[in-house]
Amino acid sequence: MQRDATIIADTTAPTGVRSDWTREEIAALFDLPFTELLFRAAEVHRAHHRAGEIQLCTLLSIKTGGCPEDCGYCSQSVKADSGVEATKLMEVQAVLQSAAQARDAGSKRFCMGAAWRNPKERDMPAVIAMIKGVREMGLETCMTLGMLTPGQAEQLAEAGLDYYNHNIDTSPERYGDVITTRTFADRMQTLDNVRSAGINVCSGGIVGMGETRADRVGFVHALATMEQHPESVPVNALVPVKGTVLGNMLADTPLAKIDDIEFVRTVAVARITMPLSMVRLSAGRESMSEATQSLCFMAGANSIFTGDKLLTAANAGDDADAAMMARLGLKPMEGEEPLRAMKAVGGCSGGCAA
């Protein structure tokens, strides 16, 4: 049943940034008529971002497979029978070559992911060399390496890491149904360690895992009530891989793919509640029509991963993305992201790190 729109809080305040959202307010946003929700999200987006620009990022798996975690969606878990073979950490030079190719293809941020529960100290020198080498190319750096200790976060910060990705995946209530080898609190602790080290936070999750709308409300609520909103919020659509717990469970069922309108609603609510964050369309984009992606851009998504692969999942590819952006009249983002720009001039408050 649609909730009374009067409980939806004002999003047109001077900065529009709040960290006191209630679940009732977020649920009311989800319940708005679709066109009204998109209109509100577009207004918020245009107040803080250049609507015709999309940030292009590239993601490389620097260590694939063999992860001891049991994430139900992940083909790289040792618990999955997905056919993904474990590899060793890539050589630094090979990573830098991939980064150079990404830069030449127009990417501004190079993200590196390793299938670890947490990095070992013996791996840190190579990881640090990767960060420094990619930054020397003029690219922003992002890494996702699993859980971090405070000391490891500080090492990455000293190396110059711009962003650390650590997704919360889903709502706190749903989390234990998807992953049992770590807790939601473990995820939040790593994010606290990252933030305390002065690294920008990239954190989002996956929709289409058989969750309810209440879970999607809880997922957005957990991010939007952080004292400092994540600078980047990836919104993934589950790619149900055969051999994974969720891939097997959802295969050939109506739940195997989230409804496109519901996915766009999730993007729009994330944009309204976290107005200065970059909202990124991540995994699952290959199966989305250009019309669905266009609605996501209208709803405030302004970042995508380019290239043919996201870790182990297929992606649309540079040429397809360039053609789509040309048809839509979109161009690669220029300039700094809002939250980072505000921090640079010391004008950040509310949802922004000091």
Side-chain angles (χ1 to χ4, degrees):
M1 185 171 70
Q2 185 168 315
R3 294 165 175 81
D4 186 343
T6 59
I7 71 169
I8 299 175
D10 178 24
T11 58
T12 60
T15 64
V17 178
R18 296 175 47 198
S19 57
D20 61 349
W21 290 93
T22 67
R23 289 200 179 203
E24 186 178 29
E25 288 173 326
I26 294 172
L29 289 172
F30 267 100
D31 284 346
L32 283 171
F34 184 67
T35 53
E36 174 65 18
L37 175 59
L38 258 62
F39 179 76
R40 295 192 187 197
E43 282 190 315
V44 171
H45 182 64
R46 283 157 176 75
H48 302 287
H49 303 264
R50 295 177 179 173
E53 293 187 355
I54 303 295
Q55 181 189 57
L56 303 182
C57 310
T58 298
L59 175 61
L60 175 69
S61 178
I62 60 173
K63 193 279 175 189
T64 303
C67 181
E69 303 277 26
D70 68 353
C71 307
Y73 52 79
C74 187
S75 62
Q76 301 194 67
S77 168
V78 295
K79 308 294 184 182
D81 184 20
S82 61
V84 173
E85 296 184 5
T87 67
K88 295 181 179 180
L89 182 65
M90 287 179 65
E91 296 293 333
V92 173
Q93 190 57 40
V95 172
L96 298 185
Q97 288 174 351
S98 294
Q101 293 170 356
R103 178 197 58 195
D104 293 343
S107 284
K108 299 298 183 184
R109 184 184 301 175
F110 191 69
C111 306
M112 296 159 274
W116 289 324
R117 175 179 171 84
N118 52 275
K120 302 293 189 296
E121 287 305 315
R122 66 174 181 267
D123 297 312
M124 293 302 288
V127 166
I128 288 170
M130 293 173 191
I131 295 169
K132 291 182 176 179
V134 173
R135 291 196 88 230
E136 288 174 359
M137 296 180 189
L139 289 166
E140 288 185 346
T141 53
C142 180
M143 282 200 158
T144 178
L145 311 171
M147 295 186 289
L148 296 178
T149 65
Q152 288 173 329
E154 290 170 3
Q155 288 182 65
L156 297 179
E158 290 173 3
L161 183 65
D162 296 292
Y163 283 85
Y164 193 79
N165 168 258
H166 202 59
N167 291 334
I168 63 169
D169 294 327
T170 188
S171 69
E173 296 79 11
R174 172 77 170 152
Y175 193 85
D177 295 330
V178 178
I179 302 162
T180 66
T181 49
R182 59 171 184 256
T183 66
F184 192 85
D186 291 332
R187 302 299 269 182
M188 298 301 288
Q189 183 59 60
T190 286
L191 290 176
D192 285 344
N193 294 342
V194 168
R195 183 65 83 189
S196 296
I199 301 171
N200 294 295
V201 168
C202 175
S203 187
I206 307 170
V207 295
M209 296 193 292
E211 77 281 352
T212 65
R213 177 178 282 186
D215 288 315
R216 289 188 280 279
V217 169
F219 157 63
V220 174
H221 179 262
L223 295 170
T225 54
M226 290 181 178
E227 183 178 352
Q228 300 163 1
H229 292 165
E231 282 78 4
S232 287
V233 179
V235 182
N236 300 271
L238 177 70
V239 179
V241 178
K242 184 178 180 180
T244 63
V245 172
L246 288 174
N248 291 342
M249 183 185 303
L250 301 178
D252 303 319
T253 74
L255 294 175
K257 183 179 184 299
I258 189 170
D259 175 78
D260 287 343
I261 298 299
E262 187 68 10
F263 184 85
V264 177
R265 283 184 182 275
T266 306
V267 170
V269 173
R271 168 51 66 217
I272 291 172
T273 55
M274 293 171 280
L276 295 176
S277 302
M278 302 296 293
V279 177
R280 180 181 301 129
L281 295 185
S282 299
R285 218 168 40 86
E286 187 191 37
S287 63
M288 295 179 194
S289 68
E290 285 192 2
T292 297
Q293 293 181 68
S294 299
L295 287 172
C296 289
F297 297 142
M298 186 180 298
N302 59 344
S303 180
I304 61 173
F305 279 122
T306 62
D308 299 322
K309 183 180 285 189
L310 299 182
L311 297 180
T312 60
N315 194 41
D318 296 333
D319 292 342
D321 286 336
M324 176 184 67
M325 289 177 65
R327 279 192 289 274
L328 297 178
L330 301 172
K331 64 178 183 179
M333 190 184 86
E334 299 176 355
E336 187 60 278
E337 303 160 19
L339 277 173
R340 294 189 70 187
M342 291 179 71
K343 285 193 290 184
V345 298
C348 226
S349 62
C352 181

